[in-house]
Short mmCIF file of all heavy atoms in Angstrom, two decimals:
data_model
loop_
_atom_site.label_atom_id
_atom_site.label_comp_id
_atom_site.label_asym_id
_atom_site.label_seq_id
_atom_site.Cartn_x
_atom_site.Cartn_y
_atom_site.Cartn_z
N MET A 1 -66.10 65.74 25.79
CA MET A 1 -65.05 65.66 24.79
C MET A 1 -63.69 65.67 25.47
O MET A 1 -63.37 66.56 26.24
CB MET A 1 -65.20 66.84 23.83
CG MET A 1 -64.12 66.89 22.78
SD MET A 1 -64.42 68.19 21.57
CE MET A 1 -64.50 69.66 22.59
N GLY A 2 -62.88 64.68 25.19
CA GLY A 2 -61.55 64.62 25.79
C GLY A 2 -60.63 65.62 25.12
O GLY A 2 -60.54 65.66 23.90
N THR A 3 -60.00 66.42 25.93
CA THR A 3 -59.12 67.44 25.36
C THR A 3 -57.94 66.82 24.62
O THR A 3 -57.35 67.44 23.76
CB THR A 3 -58.58 68.39 26.45
OG1 THR A 3 -58.08 67.61 27.52
CG2 THR A 3 -59.68 69.31 26.95
N HIS A 4 -57.61 65.58 24.97
CA HIS A 4 -56.48 64.93 24.32
C HIS A 4 -56.79 64.62 22.86
O HIS A 4 -55.89 64.34 22.09
CB HIS A 4 -56.12 63.63 25.05
CG HIS A 4 -57.21 62.61 25.04
ND1 HIS A 4 -58.35 62.73 25.80
CD2 HIS A 4 -57.34 61.46 24.35
CE1 HIS A 4 -59.12 61.69 25.59
NE2 HIS A 4 -58.54 60.90 24.70
N LYS A 5 -58.05 64.70 22.48
CA LYS A 5 -58.43 64.36 21.11
C LYS A 5 -58.40 65.56 20.18
O LYS A 5 -58.45 65.42 18.98
CB LYS A 5 -59.84 63.75 21.09
CG LYS A 5 -59.86 62.32 21.57
CD LYS A 5 -61.22 61.70 21.32
CE LYS A 5 -61.22 60.25 21.77
NZ LYS A 5 -62.58 59.73 21.84
N LEU A 6 -58.36 66.75 20.75
CA LEU A 6 -58.45 67.94 19.92
C LEU A 6 -57.24 68.83 20.14
O LEU A 6 -56.95 69.24 21.25
CB LEU A 6 -59.74 68.70 20.29
CG LEU A 6 -60.15 69.83 19.37
CD1 LEU A 6 -60.53 69.29 18.00
CD2 LEU A 6 -61.34 70.55 19.98
N CYS A 7 -56.57 69.15 19.07
CA CYS A 7 -55.40 70.04 19.17
C CYS A 7 -55.89 71.44 19.53
O CYS A 7 -56.72 72.01 18.84
CB CYS A 7 -54.66 70.06 17.84
SG CYS A 7 -53.32 71.25 17.80
N GLN A 8 -55.37 71.98 20.60
CA GLN A 8 -55.83 73.31 21.02
C GLN A 8 -55.32 74.42 20.09
O GLN A 8 -55.78 75.55 20.17
CB GLN A 8 -55.43 73.60 22.46
CG GLN A 8 -53.94 73.53 22.72
CD GLN A 8 -53.59 73.79 24.18
OE1 GLN A 8 -54.45 74.17 24.97
NE2 GLN A 8 -52.34 73.57 24.53
N ASN A 9 -54.39 74.10 19.21
CA ASN A 9 -53.87 75.09 18.26
C ASN A 9 -54.53 74.99 16.89
O ASN A 9 -54.18 75.74 15.98
CB ASN A 9 -52.36 74.91 18.09
CG ASN A 9 -51.61 75.17 19.37
OD1 ASN A 9 -51.92 76.11 20.10
ND2 ASN A 9 -50.62 74.34 19.66
N LEU A 10 -55.47 74.08 16.73
CA LEU A 10 -56.04 73.81 15.42
C LEU A 10 -56.57 75.07 14.72
O LEU A 10 -56.25 75.31 13.55
CB LEU A 10 -57.16 72.76 15.53
CG LEU A 10 -57.78 72.30 14.23
CD1 LEU A 10 -56.76 71.59 13.33
CD2 LEU A 10 -58.95 71.35 14.50
N GLY A 11 -57.38 75.85 15.41
CA GLY A 11 -57.96 77.05 14.81
C GLY A 11 -56.90 78.03 14.36
O GLY A 11 -56.94 78.54 13.22
N LYS A 12 -55.94 78.26 15.23
CA LYS A 12 -54.83 79.17 14.92
C LYS A 12 -54.03 78.64 13.73
O LYS A 12 -53.65 79.38 12.83
CB LYS A 12 -53.91 79.25 16.15
CG LYS A 12 -53.65 80.62 16.65
CD LYS A 12 -52.70 80.69 17.85
CE LYS A 12 -52.37 79.41 18.58
NZ LYS A 12 -51.55 79.56 19.77
N ASN A 13 -53.76 77.35 13.75
CA ASN A 13 -52.97 76.74 12.67
C ASN A 13 -53.70 76.85 11.33
O ASN A 13 -53.08 77.15 10.30
CB ASN A 13 -52.71 75.26 12.97
CG ASN A 13 -51.77 75.06 14.14
OD1 ASN A 13 -51.11 75.99 14.58
ND2 ASN A 13 -51.72 73.84 14.65
N LEU A 14 -55.01 76.61 11.34
CA LEU A 14 -55.78 76.68 10.10
C LEU A 14 -55.77 78.10 9.53
O LEU A 14 -55.72 78.27 8.31
CB LEU A 14 -57.22 76.22 10.34
CG LEU A 14 -57.43 74.71 10.40
CD1 LEU A 14 -58.85 74.38 10.83
CD2 LEU A 14 -57.10 74.05 9.07
N GLU A 15 -55.80 79.08 10.40
CA GLU A 15 -55.77 80.47 9.94
C GLU A 15 -54.45 80.79 9.24
O GLU A 15 -54.40 81.58 8.30
CB GLU A 15 -55.92 81.43 11.13
CG GLU A 15 -57.35 81.70 11.53
CD GLU A 15 -57.43 82.56 12.79
OE1 GLU A 15 -56.51 83.36 13.02
OE2 GLU A 15 -58.41 82.40 13.53
N LYS A 16 -53.37 80.18 9.73
CA LYS A 16 -52.04 80.47 9.19
C LYS A 16 -51.64 79.57 8.03
O LYS A 16 -50.73 79.90 7.28
CB LYS A 16 -50.98 80.32 10.29
CG LYS A 16 -51.00 81.44 11.31
CD LYS A 16 -50.06 81.16 12.46
CE LYS A 16 -48.61 81.33 12.08
NZ LYS A 16 -47.71 81.16 13.26
N CYS A 17 -52.31 78.42 7.88
CA CYS A 17 -51.91 77.44 6.88
C CYS A 17 -52.04 78.00 5.46
O CYS A 17 -53.10 78.47 5.06
CB CYS A 17 -52.74 76.17 7.02
SG CYS A 17 -52.22 74.87 5.85
N VAL A 18 -50.93 77.96 4.72
CA VAL A 18 -50.95 78.49 3.35
C VAL A 18 -50.93 77.37 2.31
O VAL A 18 -50.81 77.62 1.11
CB VAL A 18 -49.76 79.45 3.10
CG1 VAL A 18 -49.91 80.71 3.96
CG2 VAL A 18 -48.42 78.77 3.38
N CYS A 19 -51.02 76.14 2.77
CA CYS A 19 -51.03 75.01 1.85
C CYS A 19 -52.30 75.06 0.99
O CYS A 19 -53.39 75.22 1.52
CB CYS A 19 -50.97 73.70 2.64
SG CYS A 19 -51.00 72.25 1.56
N THR A 20 -52.13 74.92 -0.32
CA THR A 20 -53.28 75.02 -1.21
C THR A 20 -53.93 73.68 -1.50
O THR A 20 -54.90 73.59 -2.25
CB THR A 20 -52.89 75.70 -2.55
OG1 THR A 20 -51.81 74.96 -3.14
CG2 THR A 20 -52.46 77.14 -2.31
N TYR A 21 -53.38 72.62 -0.91
CA TYR A 21 -54.01 71.30 -1.06
C TYR A 21 -55.13 71.24 -0.01
O TYR A 21 -55.00 70.68 1.07
CB TYR A 21 -52.97 70.20 -0.84
CG TYR A 21 -53.44 68.84 -1.30
CD1 TYR A 21 -53.37 68.48 -2.63
CD2 TYR A 21 -53.95 67.92 -0.38
CE1 TYR A 21 -53.80 67.24 -3.06
CE2 TYR A 21 -54.39 66.67 -0.80
CZ TYR A 21 -54.32 66.34 -2.14
OH TYR A 21 -54.75 65.11 -2.56
N SER A 22 -56.24 71.88 -0.35
CA SER A 22 -57.25 72.17 0.67
C SER A 22 -58.04 70.96 1.17
O SER A 22 -58.68 71.04 2.21
CB SER A 22 -58.21 73.23 0.14
OG SER A 22 -58.69 72.85 -1.13
N SER A 23 -57.99 69.85 0.44
CA SER A 23 -58.75 68.69 0.91
C SER A 23 -57.94 67.80 1.84
O SER A 23 -58.43 66.76 2.30
CB SER A 23 -59.24 67.87 -0.28
OG SER A 23 -58.13 67.39 -1.02
N CYS A 24 -56.71 68.19 2.15
CA CYS A 24 -55.86 67.37 3.01
C CYS A 24 -56.42 67.31 4.43
O CYS A 24 -56.74 68.34 5.02
CB CYS A 24 -54.44 67.95 3.04
SG CYS A 24 -53.33 67.03 4.12
N ILE A 25 -56.52 66.10 4.97
CA ILE A 25 -57.08 65.94 6.32
C ILE A 25 -56.08 66.33 7.41
O ILE A 25 -56.44 66.41 8.57
CB ILE A 25 -57.57 64.49 6.57
CG1 ILE A 25 -56.42 63.50 6.35
CG2 ILE A 25 -58.76 64.15 5.69
CD1 ILE A 25 -56.71 62.10 6.89
N LYS A 26 -54.84 66.58 7.02
CA LYS A 26 -53.83 66.97 8.00
C LYS A 26 -53.72 68.49 8.16
O LYS A 26 -52.97 68.98 8.99
CB LYS A 26 -52.46 66.39 7.62
CG LYS A 26 -52.41 64.87 7.82
CD LYS A 26 -51.14 64.26 7.32
CE LYS A 26 -51.18 63.96 5.83
NZ LYS A 26 -52.19 62.93 5.48
N ARG A 27 -54.47 69.21 7.38
CA ARG A 27 -54.44 70.68 7.48
C ARG A 27 -54.70 71.15 8.91
O ARG A 27 -55.65 70.72 9.56
CB ARG A 27 -55.52 71.30 6.59
CG ARG A 27 -55.07 71.61 5.19
CD ARG A 27 -56.22 72.16 4.40
NE ARG A 27 -56.51 73.53 4.79
CZ ARG A 27 -55.87 74.58 4.29
NH1 ARG A 27 -54.94 74.42 3.40
NH2 ARG A 27 -56.17 75.79 4.69
N GLY A 28 -53.85 72.03 9.39
CA GLY A 28 -54.02 72.58 10.73
C GLY A 28 -53.47 71.70 11.83
O GLY A 28 -53.37 72.12 12.97
N LYS A 29 -53.16 70.46 11.48
CA LYS A 29 -52.55 69.55 12.46
C LYS A 29 -51.08 69.43 12.08
O LYS A 29 -50.67 68.46 11.44
CB LYS A 29 -53.24 68.19 12.43
CG LYS A 29 -54.73 68.27 12.77
CD LYS A 29 -55.39 66.94 12.52
CE LYS A 29 -56.90 67.05 12.60
NZ LYS A 29 -57.55 65.87 12.01
N CYS A 30 -50.34 70.47 12.43
CA CYS A 30 -48.96 70.60 11.95
C CYS A 30 -48.09 69.40 12.32
O CYS A 30 -47.21 69.01 11.55
CB CYS A 30 -48.36 71.89 12.48
SG CYS A 30 -49.32 73.35 12.00
N CYS A 31 -48.32 68.80 13.47
CA CYS A 31 -47.50 67.65 13.86
C CYS A 31 -47.73 66.49 12.89
O CYS A 31 -46.78 65.80 12.49
CB CYS A 31 -47.77 67.24 15.30
SG CYS A 31 -49.51 67.05 15.71
N GLU A 32 -48.97 66.29 12.48
CA GLU A 32 -49.27 65.21 11.52
C GLU A 32 -48.72 65.54 10.14
O GLU A 32 -48.26 64.67 9.41
CB GLU A 32 -50.79 64.98 11.43
CG GLU A 32 -51.37 64.37 12.69
CD GLU A 32 -52.84 64.04 12.53
OE1 GLU A 32 -53.31 63.87 11.40
OE2 GLU A 32 -53.52 63.98 13.58
N CYS A 33 -48.80 66.81 9.79
CA CYS A 33 -48.29 67.29 8.51
C CYS A 33 -46.78 67.07 8.42
O CYS A 33 -46.27 66.51 7.44
CB CYS A 33 -48.64 68.77 8.39
SG CYS A 33 -48.04 69.59 6.92
N ILE A 34 -46.08 67.47 9.46
CA ILE A 34 -44.62 67.29 9.49
C ILE A 34 -44.27 65.81 9.44
O ILE A 34 -43.39 65.38 8.68
CB ILE A 34 -44.02 67.94 10.76
CG1 ILE A 34 -44.12 69.46 10.66
CG2 ILE A 34 -42.56 67.50 10.97
CD1 ILE A 34 -43.85 70.18 11.98
N ASP A 35 -44.94 65.01 10.25
CA ASP A 35 -44.67 63.58 10.32
C ASP A 35 -44.85 62.92 8.94
O ASP A 35 -44.00 62.15 8.48
CB ASP A 35 -45.61 62.95 11.35
CG ASP A 35 -45.23 61.53 11.68
OD1 ASP A 35 -44.04 61.31 12.01
OD2 ASP A 35 -46.10 60.65 11.61
N PHE A 36 -45.96 63.26 8.29
CA PHE A 36 -46.28 62.70 6.97
C PHE A 36 -45.18 63.02 5.96
O PHE A 36 -44.66 62.14 5.27
CB PHE A 36 -47.62 63.28 6.51
CG PHE A 36 -48.02 62.88 5.11
CD1 PHE A 36 -48.65 61.67 4.87
CD2 PHE A 36 -47.79 63.74 4.04
CE1 PHE A 36 -49.03 61.31 3.58
CE2 PHE A 36 -48.16 63.37 2.75
CZ PHE A 36 -48.78 62.16 2.52
N HIS A 37 -44.81 64.28 5.87
CA HIS A 37 -43.83 64.68 4.86
C HIS A 37 -42.42 64.25 5.24
O HIS A 37 -41.62 63.87 4.38
CB HIS A 37 -43.91 66.19 4.61
CG HIS A 37 -45.13 66.57 3.83
ND1 HIS A 37 -45.32 66.17 2.52
CD2 HIS A 37 -46.23 67.27 4.17
CE1 HIS A 37 -46.49 66.62 2.08
NE2 HIS A 37 -47.06 67.29 3.06
N ARG A 38 -42.11 64.27 6.52
CA ARG A 38 -40.78 63.86 6.97
C ARG A 38 -40.49 62.41 6.58
O ARG A 38 -39.39 62.08 6.16
CB ARG A 38 -40.67 64.03 8.49
CG ARG A 38 -39.26 63.93 9.02
CD ARG A 38 -39.25 64.15 10.53
NE ARG A 38 -37.91 64.34 11.05
CZ ARG A 38 -37.07 63.36 11.28
NH1 ARG A 38 -37.43 62.10 11.06
NH2 ARG A 38 -35.85 63.60 11.75
N GLU A 39 -41.49 61.57 6.74
CA GLU A 39 -41.31 60.16 6.38
C GLU A 39 -41.02 59.98 4.89
O GLU A 39 -40.50 58.95 4.47
CB GLU A 39 -42.57 59.36 6.75
CG GLU A 39 -42.64 59.04 8.22
CD GLU A 39 -43.86 58.19 8.57
OE1 GLU A 39 -44.67 57.89 7.66
OE2 GLU A 39 -43.98 57.83 9.75
N ARG A 40 -41.39 60.98 4.10
CA ARG A 40 -41.16 60.91 2.65
C ARG A 40 -39.99 61.77 2.20
O ARG A 40 -39.87 62.06 1.02
CB ARG A 40 -42.45 61.37 1.93
CG ARG A 40 -43.57 60.37 2.08
CD ARG A 40 -44.93 61.00 1.83
NE ARG A 40 -45.98 60.01 2.00
CZ ARG A 40 -46.41 59.58 3.18
NH1 ARG A 40 -45.91 60.03 4.30
NH2 ARG A 40 -47.35 58.66 3.25
N ASN A 41 -39.16 62.19 3.16
CA ASN A 41 -38.06 63.13 2.85
C ASN A 41 -38.59 64.41 2.24
O ASN A 41 -38.01 64.93 1.28
CB ASN A 41 -37.03 62.48 1.91
CG ASN A 41 -36.07 61.59 2.67
OD1 ASN A 41 -35.68 61.90 3.80
ND2 ASN A 41 -35.72 60.47 2.07
N GLU A 42 -39.68 64.88 2.78
CA GLU A 42 -40.30 66.10 2.27
C GLU A 42 -40.42 67.15 3.38
O GLU A 42 -40.12 66.87 4.54
CB GLU A 42 -41.69 65.78 1.69
CG GLU A 42 -41.64 64.88 0.48
CD GLU A 42 -43.01 64.48 -0.03
OE1 GLU A 42 -44.02 64.73 0.68
OE2 GLU A 42 -43.09 63.90 -1.12
N ILE A 43 -40.89 68.31 2.98
CA ILE A 43 -41.06 69.45 3.88
C ILE A 43 -42.50 69.96 3.70
O ILE A 43 -43.01 69.98 2.57
CB ILE A 43 -40.05 70.57 3.51
CG1 ILE A 43 -38.62 70.05 3.62
CG2 ILE A 43 -40.24 71.79 4.41
CD1 ILE A 43 -37.57 71.01 3.08
N PRO A 44 -43.16 70.36 4.77
CA PRO A 44 -44.51 70.88 4.63
C PRO A 44 -44.61 72.06 3.65
O PRO A 44 -43.66 72.83 3.48
CB PRO A 44 -44.86 71.33 6.06
CG PRO A 44 -44.05 70.43 6.92
CD PRO A 44 -42.74 70.27 6.18
N GLY A 45 -45.77 72.18 3.04
CA GLY A 45 -45.99 73.19 2.01
C GLY A 45 -45.69 74.62 2.44
O GLY A 45 -45.28 75.44 1.62
N CYS A 46 -45.89 74.94 3.72
CA CYS A 46 -45.72 76.32 4.19
C CYS A 46 -44.27 76.80 4.14
O CYS A 46 -44.01 77.98 4.32
CB CYS A 46 -46.29 76.48 5.59
SG CYS A 46 -45.63 75.33 6.81
N PHE A 47 -43.32 75.89 3.90
CA PHE A 47 -41.92 76.29 3.80
C PHE A 47 -41.56 76.80 2.40
O PHE A 47 -40.50 77.37 2.21
CB PHE A 47 -40.99 75.12 4.16
CG PHE A 47 -40.89 74.87 5.64
CD1 PHE A 47 -41.90 74.20 6.30
CD2 PHE A 47 -39.80 75.33 6.36
CE1 PHE A 47 -41.83 73.98 7.67
CE2 PHE A 47 -39.72 75.12 7.73
CZ PHE A 47 -40.74 74.45 8.39
N PHE A 48 -42.45 76.57 1.44
CA PHE A 48 -42.16 76.92 0.05
C PHE A 48 -42.77 78.26 -0.34
O PHE A 48 -43.75 78.71 0.27
CB PHE A 48 -42.70 75.82 -0.88
CG PHE A 48 -42.03 74.49 -0.71
CD1 PHE A 48 -42.47 73.58 0.24
CD2 PHE A 48 -40.94 74.13 -1.51
CE1 PHE A 48 -41.85 72.34 0.40
CE2 PHE A 48 -40.31 72.90 -1.35
CZ PHE A 48 -40.77 72.01 -0.40
N SER A 49 -42.21 78.86 -1.38
CA SER A 49 -42.82 80.07 -1.93
C SER A 49 -44.17 79.66 -2.54
O SER A 49 -44.37 78.49 -2.88
CB SER A 49 -41.92 80.65 -3.02
OG SER A 49 -41.87 79.75 -4.12
N PRO A 50 -45.11 80.59 -2.69
CA PRO A 50 -46.41 80.24 -3.27
C PRO A 50 -46.29 79.54 -4.62
O PRO A 50 -47.04 78.61 -4.91
CB PRO A 50 -47.10 81.60 -3.41
CG PRO A 50 -46.47 82.46 -2.37
CD PRO A 50 -45.04 82.02 -2.27
N GLU A 51 -45.32 79.97 -5.44
CA GLU A 51 -45.13 79.37 -6.77
C GLU A 51 -44.77 77.89 -6.67
O GLU A 51 -45.33 77.04 -7.37
CB GLU A 51 -44.03 80.10 -7.54
CG GLU A 51 -44.33 81.55 -7.90
CD GLU A 51 -44.29 82.50 -6.70
OE1 GLU A 51 -43.48 82.26 -5.78
OE2 GLU A 51 -45.07 83.46 -6.68
N VAL A 52 -43.82 77.58 -5.80
CA VAL A 52 -43.38 76.19 -5.67
C VAL A 52 -44.41 75.36 -4.89
O VAL A 52 -44.68 74.21 -5.22
CB VAL A 52 -41.99 76.11 -4.99
CG1 VAL A 52 -41.51 74.66 -4.93
CG2 VAL A 52 -40.98 76.97 -5.74
N GLU A 53 -45.02 75.99 -3.92
CA GLU A 53 -46.03 75.29 -3.12
C GLU A 53 -47.13 74.74 -4.02
O GLU A 53 -47.58 73.61 -3.86
CB GLU A 53 -46.62 76.24 -2.06
CG GLU A 53 -47.52 75.57 -1.03
CD GLU A 53 -48.89 75.21 -1.56
OE1 GLU A 53 -49.48 76.00 -2.32
OE2 GLU A 53 -49.38 74.12 -1.24
N SER A 54 -47.54 75.55 -4.99
CA SER A 54 -48.67 75.16 -5.84
C SER A 54 -48.35 73.99 -6.77
O SER A 54 -49.26 73.43 -7.38
CB SER A 54 -49.14 76.36 -6.66
OG SER A 54 -48.11 76.79 -7.53
N THR A 55 -47.08 73.60 -6.86
CA THR A 55 -46.72 72.43 -7.68
C THR A 55 -46.92 71.14 -6.89
O THR A 55 -46.87 70.05 -7.46
CB THR A 55 -45.24 72.49 -8.13
OG1 THR A 55 -44.39 72.32 -6.99
CG2 THR A 55 -44.91 73.80 -8.82
N TYR A 56 -47.10 71.27 -5.59
CA TYR A 56 -47.25 70.13 -4.67
C TYR A 56 -46.00 69.26 -4.61
O TYR A 56 -46.03 68.15 -4.08
CB TYR A 56 -48.47 69.26 -5.01
CG TYR A 56 -49.79 69.99 -4.90
CD1 TYR A 56 -50.86 69.64 -5.71
CD2 TYR A 56 -49.97 71.01 -3.98
CE1 TYR A 56 -52.07 70.31 -5.63
CE2 TYR A 56 -51.17 71.69 -3.89
CZ TYR A 56 -52.22 71.33 -4.70
OH TYR A 56 -53.41 71.99 -4.61
N ASP A 57 -44.89 69.76 -5.18
CA ASP A 57 -43.62 69.06 -5.01
C ASP A 57 -43.04 69.51 -3.68
O ASP A 57 -42.60 70.65 -3.54
CB ASP A 57 -42.66 69.42 -6.17
CG ASP A 57 -41.33 68.68 -6.06
OD1 ASP A 57 -41.08 68.03 -5.02
OD2 ASP A 57 -40.54 68.76 -7.02
N ARG A 58 -43.07 68.65 -2.70
CA ARG A 58 -42.63 68.99 -1.34
C ARG A 58 -41.24 68.42 -1.04
O ARG A 58 -40.85 68.32 0.12
CB ARG A 58 -43.63 68.44 -0.30
CG ARG A 58 -45.09 68.77 -0.56
CD ARG A 58 -45.47 70.05 0.13
NE ARG A 58 -46.88 70.33 0.07
CZ ARG A 58 -47.43 71.24 -0.72
NH1 ARG A 58 -46.68 71.92 -1.56
NH2 ARG A 58 -48.73 71.49 -0.67
N SER A 59 -40.51 68.00 -2.08
CA SER A 59 -39.23 67.34 -1.85
C SER A 59 -38.17 68.31 -1.32
O SER A 59 -38.20 69.52 -1.59
CB SER A 59 -38.72 66.71 -3.15
OG SER A 59 -38.41 67.70 -4.10
N ILE A 60 -37.25 67.75 -0.55
CA ILE A 60 -36.14 68.55 -0.02
C ILE A 60 -35.31 69.08 -1.18
O ILE A 60 -34.83 70.22 -1.15
CB ILE A 60 -35.28 67.69 0.94
CG1 ILE A 60 -36.06 67.42 2.23
CG2 ILE A 60 -33.96 68.39 1.28
CD1 ILE A 60 -35.37 66.47 3.20
N GLU A 61 -35.16 68.26 -2.23
CA GLU A 61 -34.40 68.68 -3.42
C GLU A 61 -35.01 69.95 -4.03
O GLU A 61 -34.30 70.88 -4.38
CB GLU A 61 -34.38 67.57 -4.48
CG GLU A 61 -33.55 66.34 -4.09
CD GLU A 61 -34.24 65.43 -3.08
OE1 GLU A 61 -35.47 65.55 -2.87
OE2 GLU A 61 -33.54 64.59 -2.49
N ARG A 62 -36.31 69.95 -4.14
CA ARG A 62 -36.98 71.11 -4.71
C ARG A 62 -36.83 72.33 -3.82
O ARG A 62 -36.65 73.46 -4.28
CB ARG A 62 -38.47 70.80 -4.94
CG ARG A 62 -39.25 71.87 -5.67
CD ARG A 62 -38.75 72.03 -7.09
NE ARG A 62 -39.45 73.07 -7.82
CZ ARG A 62 -40.58 72.89 -8.50
NH1 ARG A 62 -41.12 71.70 -8.58
NH2 ARG A 62 -41.15 73.90 -9.11
N PHE A 63 -36.88 72.09 -2.53
CA PHE A 63 -36.71 73.17 -1.56
C PHE A 63 -35.33 73.81 -1.73
O PHE A 63 -35.21 75.04 -1.80
CB PHE A 63 -36.88 72.64 -0.13
CG PHE A 63 -36.71 73.69 0.92
CD1 PHE A 63 -37.75 74.57 1.23
CD2 PHE A 63 -35.52 73.81 1.63
CE1 PHE A 63 -37.60 75.54 2.21
CE2 PHE A 63 -35.36 74.79 2.61
CZ PHE A 63 -36.41 75.64 2.91
N ILE A 64 -34.30 72.97 -1.78
CA ILE A 64 -32.93 73.48 -1.92
C ILE A 64 -32.77 74.20 -3.26
O ILE A 64 -32.23 75.30 -3.32
CB ILE A 64 -31.91 72.33 -1.80
CG1 ILE A 64 -31.92 71.79 -0.36
CG2 ILE A 64 -30.50 72.79 -2.18
CD1 ILE A 64 -31.17 70.48 -0.16
N ALA A 65 -33.27 73.57 -4.33
CA ALA A 65 -33.15 74.17 -5.66
C ALA A 65 -33.82 75.54 -5.73
O ALA A 65 -33.33 76.46 -6.37
CB ALA A 65 -33.76 73.24 -6.71
N SER A 66 -34.93 75.67 -5.03
CA SER A 66 -35.67 76.94 -5.08
C SER A 66 -35.02 78.02 -4.24
O SER A 66 -35.46 79.17 -4.26
CB SER A 66 -37.12 76.73 -4.67
OG SER A 66 -37.20 76.37 -3.31
N HIS A 67 -33.98 77.66 -3.49
CA HIS A 67 -33.28 78.66 -2.68
C HIS A 67 -31.89 78.95 -3.20
O HIS A 67 -31.07 79.52 -2.50
CB HIS A 67 -33.22 78.20 -1.21
CG HIS A 67 -34.51 78.42 -0.50
ND1 HIS A 67 -35.57 77.53 -0.59
CD2 HIS A 67 -34.95 79.44 0.28
CE1 HIS A 67 -36.58 78.01 0.12
NE2 HIS A 67 -36.24 79.15 0.65
N LYS A 68 -31.59 78.50 -4.42
CA LYS A 68 -30.27 78.76 -5.00
C LYS A 68 -30.27 80.05 -5.79
O LYS A 68 -31.29 80.47 -6.29
CB LYS A 68 -29.84 77.59 -5.88
CG LYS A 68 -29.20 76.50 -5.02
CD LYS A 68 -28.75 75.32 -5.87
CE LYS A 68 -28.16 74.24 -4.94
NZ LYS A 68 -28.06 72.95 -5.63
S1 SF4 B 101 -48.31 70.39 3.51
FE1 SF4 B 101 -48.96 68.30 3.03
S2 SF4 B 101 -49.73 67.37 4.93
FE2 SF4 B 101 -49.55 69.60 5.23
S3 SF4 B 101 -51.59 70.38 4.84
FE3 SF4 B 101 -50.43 70.51 2.91
S4 SF4 B 101 -50.77 68.59 1.78
FE4 SF4 B 101 -51.45 68.33 3.92
#
C-alpha cells in the first residue's frame, strides 16, 4: 500500500469530526472537505455550532450571521 494514498491523520480526523452529514465521502479528509466547501464559498461543518451545523447550510453568510 502506497503511503501517498492514505492520509496518516484520517483516524484522528474521523474521531474529531463533528459533521453530522455522515454519508459524506470527504469525512476525515479535511483537505478535501475544505477544498470542496471553499470552492462554493462555504466553510466546513466543524466551524459551526451544532444547531447551525445540522441545517447543512455551510455558507459564509450563515457563519457570519450566527456570530452576530
Ligand atoms: S463539512 Fe462538508 S465536506 Fe466536510 S465532512 Fe461535512 S459534508 Fe463532508
